[in-house]
Amino acid sequence: MTCSEKLSTLKTLLDIEASDTTQDEVLGVYLSMSQAEILNWMYIKYPDIPADAMMPEKYDIVQVQAVVAGYNLQGGENELKHTENGIIREFDYSSMVDWIHGHVQHIAKVG
């Protein structure tokens, strides 16, 4: 999935008009941060991330869902549970990082 495809998917999931570019920069930052965290989590057993490391395509959807989690929680001030006017909102993951840690596997280090 290309970056523009991820952005388009995010806008659809977050109910943002495709022509509305006001959130593009923020969503782009979330995409960059989530990609960096996916790589960091994958290579957590290594002293350094290899220079040629790339995020596997299988984690594209994890990345998009992580951004949705992070973006939606920014308004909720990272609460795990919120009650207002009799409406209860509960979140399984407290942040974008928690979502990534729950859905990305480490790369095993041999040796």
Side-chain angles (χ1 to χ4, degrees):
M1 201 183 262
T2 67
C3 191
S4 61
E5 289 171 329
K6 291 175 189 176
L7 188 59
S8 176
T9 301
L10 282 168
K11 285 182 169 186
T12 300
L13 291 172
L14 296 170
D15 199 25
I16 299 171
E17 290 291 325
S19 60
D20 182 358
T21 59
T22 59
Q23 296 299 313
D24 287 6
E25 186 176 348
V26 171
L27 293 173
V29 169
Y30 272 107
L31 283 169
S32 294
M33 289 171 53
S34 60
Q35 182 172 352
E37 184 58 31
I38 288 169
L39 288 172
N40 282 323
W41 190 248
M42 284 173 49
Y43 289 97
I44 198 165
K45 297 180 186 282
Y46 287 72
D48 295 308
I49 297 173
D52 60 346
M54 299 203 35
M55 188 183 79
E57 286 183 27
K58 70 179 184 177
Y59 290 132
D60 284 350
I61 299 303
V62 171
Q63 181 187 23
V64 167
Q65 288 295 335
V67 172
V68 169
Y71 186 87
N72 282 334
L73 285 173
Q74 73 180 356
E77 298 171 350
N78 287 330
E79 297 173 312
L80 293 178
K81 184 175 181 180
H82 179 79
T83 305
E84 187 174 332
N85 297 328
I87 298 171
I88 300 171
R89 293 173 48 193
E90 290 189 60
F91 304 98
D92 290 333
Y93 298 91
S94 64
S95 70
M96 176 175 79
V97 173
D98 283 346
W99 176 267
I100 290 167
H101 291 184
H103 292 86
V104 174
Q105 295 176 342
H106 301 299
I107 293 177
K109 183 174 180 183
V110 180

